[in-house]
Each structure stands twice: as C-alpha cells, then as structure tokens.
C-alpha cells in the first residue's frame, strides 16, 4: 500500500514506460533561467534543491540517477545530498510513470466511505493492480495517504487534479475525459 | 452559537482569491496600519490578550510563541508558514490557501512587523496543486502592486515571500522537519532545544505558524483583542475551522465558536449520521487524537474542552464512525499510515509502528494471540515520550485509545479469529 512503491523500485520497466525514459547528461539550458531564479530566492544552493527537483520532474516526468548527478554538479553540492532528498520524498518519481498517475486515498475517512471497494473497482476499470502501469503507458495506479479532501471521500488525485465522491460511473467519466 | 465567518465567508467563491476582491473588502488595511503605526510589542500583546491558539494541532499560544523571538539580534528572523496539511481528517488550510490567500499574506505581514521578520516561506504540501497555484498567483499579484517586496505599501518595510512545495511526507508538518525540508534536506525532526525561535531556519530565529492561525491575525488587530476573545471561549479566542468527515450526511468545513459541542457539530452542522445509522466512535482532532465514544461528545470543541476527556482538539478534523465499523480494521488503516510515515530516525517509532502494524495484521488474518491486545497497548505506551518528535506519540495515542475503549472487539477478534462486528476475518 505504500505510496510511491511503483515509482521507485520494482520490475523492469514495461516497453511503454521505457519509452518515456530521457537521457539528460548535462544541465538543460531550458531550465537555466528557473534555476538561476531559485538560487537567488533561497539562502543556500542546497535549499534550492527541492524546487529544482520539481522543475526537472515537471519537464521530464521523473528524476533519473543521471539527472541527480547533473543537479548536484549544477548546485555544487554532494551527490548524496540530492540522492537522500529524492529518496526521502515519495512525490519524486525515480522512474517514468504512466501519463495519468491515478492516486487513490486509502486513509481512514476515505476507507469509511468505501475506498477499498473504489480501489478494486478502479483496478477492474484499468485492468491493472495497484502498483502497476497499463501496457500502453497511459495509467499508473497507486494507493496513497490522506490528501486532505476527506469531505469528498472517497477521492483520488490524477496528476494535478482532485476528484471526489467516486463511483463507477464517475470514474468512467473521468478516465474517459482524459487524453 | 452563530459565529461570524472570519475565514470562511468566501470559501467556494470564484473571485475571492484575487487581490482586487480582497482590497474591496478592506484587505491589507490592517497590515498597512499596523506596519506604519503600531509597535511590535503592542502587536504581540494584542495577540496574547486575544488568546489566539496555534491551529496546526498543538494549540500553543501564538502571542507567546512570537515573544520568544529575540529582539535586536544580528541574524535575520524568518517566518515559516506551515501549510503542509497532512493530518488525516483535516482539510481546512486547503480552503484558506485556495480562497483567501491574501488574508494569509496579510496575517504574515502583521506577524513580520511583530517579530521583525522580513522573509517568509510558505511550505505547502506537494499534492496541493490548486492551492499552490492560487498562493503563487496571490504572491505575484501582491509583489506587482507593492503589497510585498522591498517597500511594502510605501511604509519602507521590506517583506519577501517564497512559496515552497513539499514532497509528500507527513513528517514535514512537524515544525523542525519542515525547517529541514526548507533547507533541502530529508524531513528528519531536530532535537529541541535549541528551539526554532532561537535556532531555526538556516540557524536563525524562526517563527513557525499554521495557515489558519496567521489568517486570523488581521481579524485580531481589526476587531481588537477583547472582541476577538469574546468570539471564542475563555481559554481560546476567535472562531475555529472544524473539518467533519466519515459517516455523516454533510461532511465539510464549519467555522464556529469553540464553545460548540462535538455532538452539535455532528448533529446540527454535519447533518447527523448517514442513513440514520447509530454513532459508534469519533476521532476528534485528526487521526492521532484518542478516539471518543458517543457518551463523550457533549464536551466543548476547544483545546481545553477536549483535554477534559483525555483527547485533543489537534487539527480539528473529526472522523465520525457508525456502528458498521470494525475497530480492529479501522486500527489497521491507522497504524499502517504511521508505519509508512515514520521517518525512521528514532527506534521506538520506527520499530514500534511496524511491530503494531504486524500484530494488527495478524489479528485480522484470524491468527491473533491471547496476548496481542495487551501487547499493542504496551508497545504504544513505550513509544510515548521516547522519540525526538511527536509522530511517535501521534502513532501511539490512537492505539491506546482504541484498545482502551474497544478492548472487547480486539479480544474477541483474537479469541475467535473473526470480527465481532462483521463476523468475518478480514485478511490483511
């Protein structure tokens, strides 16, 4: 049930996810301006690390080991500082995930309102189990901890949007409306 | 019981997050007046007399916290706003960030004046895309129009604000873990002392306040300490945001006087029990607060009121359960969360949460042992007070509460290999 398990370790990447891998061997020029702004905003280079990791993830969908090295060199901080932060925070994907990352809340308020059945239903709808990605690389399914939307239980987050009061019909509508 | 809606009047609005809308409502008038005309000591004194209590969970008196910041030191003073709303059952700060971001900024400016701080970080939980977007937009608007920056509203007072996105770690809601995270490090809580008021962010004096706490501050200076105090109860001024979820008809957020009883919150505001079911238990202050039975709900929903029944108001997230809930199963959901979120730094919490999770899983699978119930209680008790941060306590209290108040269900499950409520074994 642990959040992020499918985004950190596990089996070899499927072909669809492997196709999303990006090679980044030097600091990307397109992120230069943002990086400079971050360094000016924060007191130390290390403090700019989390926002810079977010910038990489927004651009590439994940943070690879190679990117960790590139970031460490850019900020002139030890690689281990980057590594320990990437691995501590579950929201940094260490490998590519599906285009739509479906994260269903499994905490108490949602469970009281049927989250367990919702999770099984979404597994059926997507044809995958929690922790897996569909063969076409479109959907990755995770169970996560409370997302602070208990008033709309049971709920899920798909990429940057929250969806509440889930039932089968609504889930079908939501998934059908995605690219 | 009808309290003015200081914070929530515009929750759900399409426009309240915009600067112009806030200005039309008299927004930033208080910050301008306080920065230009009021002495820092007077501001702190007013907040103390208003009896504002920290709304993040601990309920610490805000004015006292501000007064711990040394005056006239040579190091910069920082303000870290805790918007890492992660206590399960809690969803109030999300509304303030989304619908009243300028009210928060105004409260931050007043705090800045009070403690001599010129730079603030707002630490927002990483999953909050819309709230982060709204907050960033508000900060950008405020800079553009001179409400933030080198010369706030022509007063000569400089104030910078950075919106910082978290990475999905519950522990970062703990104030010193939050500081570590703001420095780019894993969120491992720090040993105290030294306290953040003296040695905080980057080794400098730092105030850490919750979103709701700061958003109430402009109302204190506007209404005056006495009027603000009168909105609340003797020990706690102002209104309070309550989050109600679970088996109620109208789950949601309610801004009320803390004199409201938990029973009224559930019956009168949250619409009573869903499907007319019978109430079984309430977790009153976010997941870590010890559970209450139906006969304990006539207590006042204030920090002091919840203490009277050996629980806590915490983050004011009420999770309501009806009679269909098997408490052993509910315990599994809870302990699984803490085992997952323990940062691993302290042995009692790291090992204890996992151990308790394995015991509950064993019970659910129908292999419970006679001593399991007592062991859960005993492990929980050995975690309390033995860890660097309160996550250990937060994991132990619900276990102790569940075992104390629903002991028969745990013992029944261990003895019979199935749930007293559903009659089934659950597997885990």
């Amino acid at each position: 049930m642990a959040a992020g398990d499918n985004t950190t370790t596990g089996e070899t990447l499927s072909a669809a996810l492997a196709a999303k891998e990006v090679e980044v061997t030097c600091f990307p020029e397109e992120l230069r301006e943002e990086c400079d702004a971050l360094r000016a905003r924060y007191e130390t280079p290390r403090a700019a690390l989390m926002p810079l990791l977010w910038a990489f993830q927004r651009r590439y969908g994940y943070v690879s080991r190679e990117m960790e090295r590139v970031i460490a060199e850019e900020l002139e901080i030890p690689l281990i500082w980057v590594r320990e932060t990437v691995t501590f925070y579950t929201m940094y994907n260490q490998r590519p995930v599906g285009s739509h990352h479906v994260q269903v809340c499994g905490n108490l308020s949602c469970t009281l309102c049927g989250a367990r059945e919702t999770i099984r239903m979404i597994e059926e709808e997507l044809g995958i189990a929690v922790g897996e990605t569909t063969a076409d690389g479109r959907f990755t399914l995770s169970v996560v901890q409370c997302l602070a939307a208990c008033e709309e239980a049971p709920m899920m987050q798909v990429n940057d949007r929250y969806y509440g009061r889930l039932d089968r019909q609504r889930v079908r509508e939501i998934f059908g409306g995605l690219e | 019981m009808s309290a003015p809606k200081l914070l929530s009047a515009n929750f759900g609005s399409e426009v309240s997050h915009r600067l112009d809308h806030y200005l039309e409502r008299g927004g930033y008038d208080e910050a301008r007046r306080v920065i230009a005309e009021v002495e820092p000591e007077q501001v702190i004194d007013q907040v103390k007399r208003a009896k504002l209590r920290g709304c993040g969970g601990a309920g610490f008196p805000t004015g006292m916290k501000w007064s711990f910041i040394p005056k006239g030191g040579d190091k910069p003073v920082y303000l870290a706003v805790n918007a890492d709303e992660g206590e399960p059952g809690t969803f109030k700060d999300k509304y303030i960030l989304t619908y009243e971001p300028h009210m928060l900024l105004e409260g931050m400016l007043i705090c800045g004046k009070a403690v001599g701080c010129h730079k603030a970080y707002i630490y927002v939980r990483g999953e909050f895309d819309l709230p982060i977007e709204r907050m960033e937009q508000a900060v950008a608007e405020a800079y553009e129009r001179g409400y933030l920056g080198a010369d706030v509203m022509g007063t000569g007072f400089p104030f910078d604000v950075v919106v910082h996105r978290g990475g999905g770690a519950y522990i970062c809601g703990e104030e010193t873990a939050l500081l570590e995270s703001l420095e780019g490090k894993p969120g491992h809580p720090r040993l105290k002392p030294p306290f953040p008021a003296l040695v905080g962010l980057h080794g400098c004096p730092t105030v850490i306040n919750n979103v709701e706490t700061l958003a109430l501050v402009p109302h204190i200076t506007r209404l005056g300490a006495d009027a603000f105090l009168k909105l609340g109860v003797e020990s706690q001024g102002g209104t309070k945001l309550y989050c109600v979820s679970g088996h109620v008809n109208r789950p949601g957020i309610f801004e009320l006087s803390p004199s409201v009883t938990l029973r009224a919150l559930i019956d009168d505001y949250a619409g009573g029990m869903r499907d007319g079911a019978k109430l079984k238990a309430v977790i009153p202050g976010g997941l870590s607060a010890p559970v209450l039975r139906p006969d304990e709900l006539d207590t006042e929903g204030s920090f002091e009121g919840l203490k009277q029944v050996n629980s806590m108001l915490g983050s004011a997230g009420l999770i309501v359960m009806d009679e269909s809930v098997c408490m052993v199963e509910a315990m599994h959901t809870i302990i699984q969360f803490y085992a997952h979120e323990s940062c691993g730094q302290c042995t009692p919490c790291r090992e204890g949460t996992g151990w308790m999770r394995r015991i509950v899983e064993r019970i659910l699978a129908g292999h419970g042992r006679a001593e399991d119930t007592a062991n859960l209680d005993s492990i929980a008790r050995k975690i309390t007070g033995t860890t660097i941060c309160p996550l250990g306590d937060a994991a132990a209290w619900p276990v102790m509460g569940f075992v104390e108040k629903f002991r028969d269900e745990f013992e029944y499950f261990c003895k019979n290999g199935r749930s007293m409520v559903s009659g089934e074994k659950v597997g885990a």
Side-chain angles (χ1 to χ4, degrees), chain A residues 2-3 41-43 46-47 50 54 85 88-91 107 109 112 116 145-148 150-151 157 160 162, chain B residues 78 88 90-91 94-95 119 121 125 127 129 162 164-168 181 184-185 187 245 247 329 337 340:
Chain A
R41 199 172 301 154
Y42 284 86
E43 276 72 4
R46 189 179 193 177
M50 285 185 73
W54 276 117
T85 289
F88 184 84
Y89 296 96
T90 54
M91 288 186 76
N107 211 291
S109 296
L112 293 173
R116 218 167 282 160
Q145 294 301 347
C146 185
L147 292 168
C150 322
E151 75 277 36
Q157 178 171 27
D160 58 1
Y162 277 21
Chain B
Y78 293 108
T90 316
F91 42 86
K94 177 184 71 176
Y95 282 86
K119 183 156 186 185
Y121 288 90
R125 70 175 291 179
E127 294 90 341
D129 281 274
V162 176
H164 184 98
R165 181 179 209 131
S181 187
K185 303 170 189 167
S245 64
H247 293 148
E329 266 192 81
F337 170 71
H340 180 252

Side-chain angles (χ1 to χ4, degrees), chain A residues 1 3 7 17 40 45 55 60 65 71 82 86 88 91 100 116-118 129-130 175 177:
Chain A
M1 294 281 272
T7 62
L17 287 186
Y60 301 109
R65 297 297 284 267
I71 289 169
V82 181
V86 168
F88 184 84
M91 288 186 76
H100 305 291
R116 218 167 282 160
E117 295 71 27
T118 305
V130 170
F175 289 166

Side-chain angles (χ1 to χ4, degrees), chain B residues 127-202:
Chain B
E127 294 90 341
F128 274 177
D129 281 274
L130 178 63
I132 289 172
E133 192 187 307
R134 290 281 178 86
M135 207 61 238
E136 283 177 339
Q137 186 187 27
V139 168
E141 270 189 308
Y143 266 108
E144 218 168 275
R145 308 262 294 269
Y147 293 90
L148 291 176
D151 177 18
V152 171
M153 294 178 271
T155 58
F157 185 84
F159 200 74
D160 284 307
V161 174
V162 176
V163 178
H164 184 98
R165 181 179 209 131
Y170 170 72
I171 190 64
C172 289
E174 194 281 330
E175 58 179 16
T176 60
L178 185 147
L179 297 179
E180 289 287 298
S181 187
L182 276 176
E183 294 178 4
K185 303 170 189 167
H188 289 145
R190 298 175 182 172
L191 266 176
K192 293 187 277 194
F195 289 92
L198 299 179
V199 184
L201 186 61
H202 301 295

Side-chain angles (χ1 to χ4, degrees), chain B residues 405-416:
Chain B
K405 293 187 179 160
F406 299 94
R407 191 172 196 103
D408 52 338
E409 281 194 41
F410 284 82
E411 287 178 342
Y412 183 97
F413 215 131
C414 291
K415 190 170 171 210
N416 300 288

Side-chain angles (χ1 to χ4, degrees), chain B residues 7 49 92 100 109 116 124 162 164 168 278 305 320 339 399 420:
Chain B
L7 303 172
R49 284 189 293 112
K92 61 190 180 65
E100 294 288 8
L109 281 166
V124 192
V162 176
H164 184 98
K278 218 172 145 200
V320 181
V399 175
M420 196 166 110

Side-chain angles (χ1 to χ4, degrees), chain B residues 235-236 258 299-311 313:
Chain B
S235 56
Q236 177 184 348
T299 182
E300 179 180 282
S302 63
F303 287 106
E304 297 306 317
L306 268 297
K307 261 190 215 162
Q308 308 276 319
V309 285
N310 297 318
S311 187
L313 178 60

Side-chain angles (χ1 to χ4, degrees), chain B residues 210-224:
Chain B
N210 169 261
V211 171
E212 182 186 355
T213 314
L214 285 164
L216 282 168
V217 167
H219 299 287
I220 295 177
T221 62
R222 179 171 57 83
L223 297 167

